[in-house]
Amino acid sequence: MASIQSAEGTFDLLPDEAKFWQKFRDTAYEVFGRYGYVPIETPIFEQTSLFVRGIGEATDVVSKEMFTAISGENLKTLMGGGHIKGKSQLSLRPEGTAGVVRAVAQHALVTQGGAPVKLAYAGPMFRAERPQKGRQRQFNQVGIECLGADDPTIDAEGIIMLMRFYEAIGIPTGAMRLLVNSMGCENCRPAYREAVRTYILEHADGLCEECQRRADTNPLRAFDCKKEDCRAVMAGAPRIVDNLCDDCHDHYDAVKALLDDTGLSYVEDYTLVRGLDYYTRTVFEVQVIEGMGSQNAIGGGGRYDKLMAEIGGANTPGFGFALGYERCVLALQAHGFAFEPAQKLDFYIACVDDSVRPLAFRMLQKLRDIGYKGDIDHQHRSLKGQFKQADKLRADYVVVLGPDEVARGVAKVRNMASHNEVEVPIDQAEAIYQCFSDSAAAREAGVTE
Ligand code: HAM
């Protein structure tokens, strides 16, 4: 019988990578923390209506890619020809924004006259896309959302913070391209949308069927079509920048001025529309310039001043972004990055025979309790086998305990890198700890023995 494999488009993060994912998140929370962002965790599934109303019914993410979650009880209802009621219609989150905005509204986190609420999150998202390199059905995102302020400083500091994060994890600045655009607001966008719709209808001959259909469902998405012919036609379409109202123009200019002031380089891309319907004003995307094919967007986001009201909350402006962990790893790997081995011990205790095992076990526990990472042989291997094991577990030191040593009241401590060996009195456990802490201090100072 064939063994069961992971589901299509899903991947295991094995220990070396899982450890890096931990570091990736820690770095994100650290960088975002400098800008006042604090963590939030929201459920992995939500009522389907949240995504339909929040992200937009006509988006690919909602219309084609949502994973619906059905409880056993509801499955029975469905199979019996029944209907699942609104509140029980559930979907796995395809992105994090809708859930965070729902939580902010539900718990009234934005208070009248209070400071904007700045939230950061990390976790898996689910989209039933056709899997390919850089496109998964379960993938990990790190993101932020800021609710309660529409000032351009929020947009600019958010974009700067994202770029600082990429630098912090090691993606070379020169390997990335930052695209920015403005999507306008409820005052200027409807007329622009209509102008694009008319343009699509007038140029239908040169556009694919999907883009033709978009004239009625979501005309601006035609800018996002990857087909060369469509791109060529859409290059001549009316530009949003020429159709922004004065307020949106001023907002866009202010964001760009702040980016310029920080020395951040970016490209204005009037065809950047993003795949989610909630955006107003600022939108942006970060792409890797080479080596990632069509899945080259490692992050993106923008402003969404109408989303909270759209899902039934108070009218509250918002801004945010999310970045894809797996795509960042691909970008790093293109520049020679390799995961560090997760396994790394400070010490391993090797027993010459079983008579010393109770003492070894006590010593092991003591060292662990004060914070050292260590292990012992659990399979009764020979001494040679135990050394091999210590090597595999990448232990810095092996503490050797044998009846002779114990009779003399000492343990041998071998430095696995230099092969130096010292004898340390067993009853002076601090002496053993001292050995380790000296080497930990040396490691920290970059001194290799
Ligand atoms: P998004 O552009 O749909 O935006 O996703 C953000 C990032 O998630 C993408 O740039 C990409 O790196 C990664 N990503 C998306 N889909 C996949 C996939 N199928 N496989 C691997 N990686 C993927 C959002 O999700 C918005 N919620 C961002 C936002 C936050 N806007 C405002 N606030």
Side-chain angles (χ1 to χ4, degrees), residues 197-234:
R197 192 180 97 89
T198 307
Y199 180 86
I200 292 176
L201 295 174
E202 283 168 6
H203 296 80
D205 286 355
L207 294 167
C208 71
E209 270 180 34
E210 175 120 37
C211 285
Q212 290 179 27
R213 253 199 314 275
R214 281 173 175 146
D216 291 317
T217 55
N218 207 345
L220 303 192
R221 291 286 297 150
F223 283 114
D224 224 16
C225 187
K226 298 276 185 279
K227 298 188 185 82
E228 276 309 317
D229 289 352
C230 296
R231 293 186 83 84
V233 172
M234 291 310 290

Side-chain angles (χ1 to χ4, degrees), residues 95 97 127 129 134 136 141 145 274 278-279 297 299 320-321 324:
E95 54 104 57
T97 312
R127 295 184 193 175
E129 297 193 76
Q136 302 179 190
Q141 275 189 351
E145 312 297 342
R274 313 259 314 127
Y278 47 62
Y279 293 110
F321 65 70

